[in-house]
Amino acid sequence: MATHATARSIRNDVAMMLRPPRRILVSDGARALRVNAGTGSGNPWDASTTPYMVKPLNATSSRLHEAVVFVGPARSGKTLALIEGCLAHTITCDPADVMVIQSTKDAAEDYSKTRISRGIRGSPELLKQLSPRAHDDNVLMKFFRSGMSLRLGWPSLSVLSGKDVKRVLMTDVDNFTGDLGIDEAFGLAMKRCQTFMSGGIVVAESSPATDYVDGQWRQSAERPHEAPPAGGIASLYNRGDRHRWYWPCMECGEYFQASPGYELFKLPLERELLERVQVDDMLTMSRRLSIVYCPHCHVGLKDRWKDAMNLRGDWVGEGQVIHRDGTIDGDVIESRTTSYYLGGVAAAFQSWESLIERYLQALKVYAKTGEEKPLKTTYNVDAALNYVPMAARSESNPTAMQDRAETWTSGSVPPGVHFLTATVDGQKNRFVVQVMGWGPGASGTLERCIVDSFSLRTSERPDGAGGFLGLEPAKYLEDWERLVPKVIQRRYPLDDGSGRTMPVRAVGIDWGGAEGHAARALEFWRSLKERGLHWRVRLVKGRGGKVDYLWKETKPDSSKRKDRNSGSRGDVPQLLINVDRMKDQVAANVAREEPGPGYYRFGDWLPTAFYEELTAETRTSKGWENLGKRRNEAFDLAVYNETLALWIKAPAINWSNPPAWAAGWDTNPDVVKGDEPPPPAPAPVRSRRPRVVPSRYLRR
């Protein structure tokens, strides 16, 4: 017999549609959800299990933000809270149309059957709100007595178009494989909620799954909460106010960041671990290494204290500071997106020993087979960190280089430098200059020293307003004249207060670059020859691919070639460089931490950007590549300086009896008081062939 609705049930259903929302925290409304309801042992969602989810969950009802972004490890309870907990609050407290977006259509159907349907039917308060009509309860669409609808979909234009919903809840966004990428899907989701103005909200949560190739990226002291420069959820997080989870040390009480990755464990270097995992026992290693060290008191903390630390933890936004008593000061970044990033070390459902063991197992697979997928997986889902492929990594650490910087006066020659070289990189609107000093180190071997690094940006062409126009080297030959006083004829004061100065012994100028740059470089060198300044200057150019030399001096002539118009006529000497081999040499030298052959000395006045440029490139199977598309002038100019040193035969100098121009300050004729004229050009060395006397003049 068919059952019919009674007047009472109809009246109750209509009343639910008119009932005002219950003004309670979302985290309180989420208690209507029974966790593990499908197993028959469901308990109300408990905030104390994952206390780090309370604040992000409550933010889903914020009128100040239009989006909530959460990055965290797998098995941290993020989906349970932000998707199902938010949905439970919506159903019982603030009914409104909701859309849940999964990574694929199959994933959406599976999520509906195994999580949503089970959660609703296992939670009495939610089941009571479900529409009793059978056709209102489908896999991808559900209706409730209040009139609200729940749609489940995937990142497709048809799913995310033409609908008005108050809340769009997006899960596992870094694994979206539909018609839309995460940025497009996120933008369309924002449009779906726009009708509801400040009442609408978009939630996006995921473990990071996108790689990034800038192996030299480091978190800066100015932005300690910034995520790596990867796409996907990390990019969405960086748009927001960037909250990180801080918890207190159980020993000293100071708060520190539960940062993503493995930094807090103070593990040995990865290259050392790659050797150890092949011979050591995994369980023993993981048990011994699974200790978090407080960055304040450096005491080792064990996993059994994690729950207590989480209960006392709090979210701190970019620009804020948390004190020992738990109070937070400072102003968070103003953004319409509130974002949160939880490190894998704080995940409630994974022990530290398990976290380290999975990492070591993945390293073992890589050490034996070269397969990186297990390593990428454990970085993403366990440590909650975007992965940098091994090919994109570099052993050079700009921070370590900066830490060993010495103190001497900026723009002066420090003790130990016997002669100078300078190199110039021509850009569209500037010249970038690097001056390097050379001399014997304590071991009597050739060491390097960065003496100066600067850019020339203005010409001597008047702008009509009392100033000067910007440089345009590819257009104006007169702009190159700036290099004569600023580089070629420049003298640097010694850092001893004596008033003596040292000239630049050799100058290398890059003649590649924008169209017209090469022709101007050739013209400039010819003008230097007319003035007798050419002997110390060479044009330099890198050659990629497989070449059979490290460097060579040549005088190319393209005057008879119709496919080239560089201006070469066989009269301008140029240094051609095997860039990959020379960069191998420079990279090894700058990475050297102790004085000795090839060691680089840095002044403490050099900016952080200089070290980042020096380590911007990565050695791959194709050669040296700038994978992160960062500025790399310091690296290129160091290569040119190394080539100049080879050109003037600096590595062959006998420091017990050096040539006069490489002698110490007191005996070097180039080191003079004040700005005296530069030393004269050396007399050219001409090879003489034996004179052959005609036989008729020989005595018989």
Side-chain angles (χ1 to χ4, degrees):
M1 179 184 297
T3 58
H4 300 280
T6 64
R8 178 183 295 237
S9 65
I10 294 174
R11 185 170 61 249
N12 289 340
D13 288 351
V14 173
M16 292 182 65
M17 296 180 186
L18 301 176
R19 188 182 69 185
R22 295 168 60 197
R23 302 298 183 186
I24 65 173
L25 293 173
V26 182
S27 56
D28 291 334
R31 288 183 55 80
L33 175 69
R34 290 292 191 267
V35 181
N36 295 325
T39 65
S41 59
N43 296 309
W45 182 81
D46 186 2
S48 64
T49 304
T50 54
Y52 44 76
M53 294 308 309
V54 174
K55 196 169 185 177
L57 179 54
N58 288 335
T60 61
S61 65
S62 170
R63 292 275 182 169
L64 301 176
H65 300 99
E66 58 187 14
V68 177
V69 174
F70 189 93
V71 190
R75 304 279 70 107
S76 60
K78 62 184 186 301
T79 304
L80 182 65
L82 290 174
I83 308 300
E84 295 155 44
C86 181
L87 184 58
H89 172 268
T90 302
I91 294 171
T92 58
C93 302
D94 187 16
D97 290 345
V98 178
M99 181 183 291
V100 175
I101 303 297
Q102 257 284 358
S103 56
T104 65
K105 181 179 180 181
D106 290 342
E109 293 176 348
D110 180 74
Y111 185 69
S112 175
K113 295 173 183 177
T114 60
R115 295 284 292 266
I116 299 297
S117 294
R118 286 180 178 179
I120 292 174
R121 298 193 179 280
S123 305
E125 291 187 55
L126 303 184
L127 182 61
K128 185 170 59 175
Q129 305 300 327
L130 189 65
S131 172
R133 292 178 288 274
H135 61 272
D136 284 347
D137 185 10
N138 301 305
V139 174
L140 298 179
M141 175 76 83
K142 300 180 186 297
F143 288 90
F144 296 82
R145 292 177 184 270
S146 61
M148 74 165 278
S149 65
L150 168 62
R151 291 182 173 89
L152 288 100
W154 54 97
S156 170
L157 188 62
S158 60
V159 172
L160 283 167
S161 298
K163 303 173 183 68
D164 293 326
V165 291
K166 191 173 183 179
R167 296 181 179 92
V168 179
L169 313 178
M170 307 168 72
T171 180
D172 200 19
V173 297
D174 258 17
N175 290 306
F176 277 8
T177 58
D179 302 335
L180 305 174
I182 181 173
D183 289 310
E184 296 171 297
F186 190 77
L188 285 174
M190 300 279 275
K191 285 296 181 183
R192 302 288 66 78
C193 303
Q194 210 165 44
T195 303
F196 295 89
M197 302 178 71
S198 64
I201 197 77
V202 174
V203 177
E205 62 85 6
S206 180
S207 297
T210 55
D211 297 348
Y212 68 102
V213 295
D214 186 359
Q216 292 301 331
W217 178 84
R218 298 291 186 277
Q219 211 162 42
S220 68
E222 296 80 16
R223 297 184 297 275
H225 293 178
E226 190 175 31
I233 195 72
S235 176
L236 296 183
Y237 163 84
N238 279 336
R239 299 181 196 175
D241 47 19
R242 301 200 290 267
H243 287 81
R244 290 291 182 99
W245 184 247
Y246 281 70
W247 53 10
C249 171
M250 301 302 290
E251 181 69 24
C252 68
E254 294 287 348
Y255 279 76
F256 62 95
Q257 185 187 144
S259 53
Y262 305 95
E263 180 183 356
L264 292 175
F265 293 100
K266 304 296 183 186
L267 301 177
L269 294 176
E270 201 162 69
R271 60 175 177 266
E272 179 183 337
L273 286 175
L274 285 169
E275 297 176 1
R276 292 175 56 182
V277 294
Q278 299 183 68
V279 294
D280 291 359
D281 177 69
M282 292 290 102
L283 289 176
T284 303
M285 278 186 67
S286 58
R287 193 173 297 117
R288 186 170 61 251
L289 295 174
S290 58
I291 296 176
V292 164
Y293 290 89
C294 171
H296 300 287
C297 66
H298 307 291
V299 168
L301 306 172
K302 296 186 177 181
D303 181 74
R304 64 174 181 268
W305 294 327
K306 180 173 66 174
D307 291 343
M309 293 165 67
N310 270 334
L311 285 172
R312 294 174 55 192
D314 204 348
W315 289 100
V316 180
E318 190 83 274
Q320 295 182 319
V321 176
I322 187 169
H323 301 288
R324 185 172 180 175
D325 61 358
T327 58
I328 298 175
D329 289 334
D331 298 322
V332 74
I333 296 173
E334 292 187 10
S335 175
R336 295 288 291 168
T337 297
T338 182
S339 56
Y340 303 85
Y341 200 143
L342 181 75
V345 69
F349 304 112
Q350 184 168 35
S351 69
W352 293 346
E353 185 177 327
S354 171
L355 183 70
I356 298 300
E357 183 185 2
R358 286 173 60 87
Y359 173 58
L360 296 178
Q361 292 285 7
L363 279 177
K364 187 173 183 178
V365 172
Y366 175 75
K368 289 184 174 294
T369 67
E371 177 58 64
E372 292 187 60
K373 288 184 180 179
L375 199 55
K376 169 181 165 61
T377 299
T378 192
Y379 262 83
N380 294 163
V381 304
D382 296 321
L385 192 64
N386 297 87
Y387 184 67
V388 186
M390 288 292 185
R393 301 187 188 187
S394 174
E395 294 295 326
S396 299
N397 186 343
T399 303
M401 295 176 192
Q402 191 168 13
D403 289 344
R404 72 169 193 253
E406 306 171 31
T407 299
W408 70 78
T409 305
S410 173
S412 66
V413 182
V417 171
H418 288 211
F419 65 92
L420 303 175
T421 61
T423 50
V424 181
D425 185 16
Q427 303 286 326
K428 181 179 180 180
N429 60 354
R430 66 186 184 277
F431 288 118
V432 183
V433 182
Q434 186 181 103
V435 180
M436 190 178 293
W438 304 78
S443 62
T445 56
L446 191 63
E447 292 185 0
R448 294 93 169 122
C449 174
I450 304 299
V451 170
D452 203 1
S453 177
F454 62 93
S455 293
L456 293 173
R457 296 180 179 273
T458 57
S459 70
E460 293 184 337
R461 292 177 285 112
D463 62 1
F468 298 97
L469 296 170
L471 279 174
E472 294 186 75
K475 290 184 179 180
Y476 300 98
L477 179 60
E478 56 266 37
D479 285 3
W480 291 73
E481 289 299 315
R482 294 279 284 152
L483 296 177
V484 175
K486 291 294 185 179
V487 182
I488 297 172
Q489 290 187 318
R490 184 164 182 172
R491 301 182 67 87
Y492 280 85
L494 305 186
D495 193 28
D496 64 352
S498 66
R500 294 178 294 176
T501 61
M502 179 182 290
V504 176
R505 181 68 187 178
V507 178
I509 302 175
D510 177 22
W511 70 295
E515 184 178 355
H517 186 94
R520 294 287 179 262
L522 292 167
E523 293 177 52
F524 177 62
W525 191 91
R526 293 182 183 115
S527 74
L528 293 176
K529 185 175 182 180
E530 294 174 359
R531 290 171 279 179
L533 299 176
H534 64 293
W535 64 270
R536 69 175 71 193
V537 180
R538 287 295 181 269
L539 304 186
V540 297
K541 187 174 185 179
R543 294 290 299 271
K546 295 182 178 181
V547 291
D548 58 357
Y549 54 83
L550 181 60
W551 70 278
K552 69 177 180 179
E553 186 170 12
T554 182
K555 293 183 178 180
D557 184 358
S558 62
S559 58
K560 298 180 181 180
R561 295 188 57 170
K562 296 181 179 180
D563 59 334
R564 291 188 183 179
N565 189 26
S566 66
S568 296
R569 301 197 297 263
D571 61 329
V572 179
Q574 301 161 20
L575 304 181
L576 297 182
I577 307 168
N578 183 330
V579 288
D580 285 337
R581 286 179 57 191
M582 192 63 78
K583 285 183 176 181
D584 287 341
Q585 181 173 311
V586 172
N589 288 342
V590 298
R592 185 186 177 102
E593 298 179 356
E594 300 294 334
Y599 181 72
Y600 269 69
R601 298 169 59 194
F602 305 108
D604 56 8
W605 44 267
L606 285 167
T608 301
F610 174 85
Y611 300 95
E612 293 174 347
E613 289 182 19
L614 197 59
T615 57
E617 296 192 25
T618 303
R619 190 61 150 106
T620 71
S621 58
K622 299 178 182 179
W624 283 90
E625 295 185 85
N626 189 354
L627 299 173
K629 306 302 179 184
R630 304 166 72 95
R631 291 190 59 176
N632 64 342
E633 290 93 334
F635 192 33
D636 285 342
L637 292 172
V639 167
Y640 299 155
N641 271 302
E642 295 269 5
T643 306
L644 285 179
L646 294 174
W647 174 58
I648 62 177
K649 299 180 174 58
I653 291 176
N654 178 2
W655 292 108
S656 61
N657 185 29
W661 54 266
W665 293 354
D666 295 334
T667 57
N668 191 325
D670 291 352
V671 176
V672 297
K673 186 81 171 181
D675 293 326
E676 295 185 5
V685 178
R686 297 180 180 178
S687 59
R688 295 180 178 273
R689 290 183 296 179
R691 183 180 178 184
V692 179
V693 180
S695 59
R696 66 179 178 272
Y697 294 111
L698 296 176
R699 293 182 179 179
R700 297 183 179 273

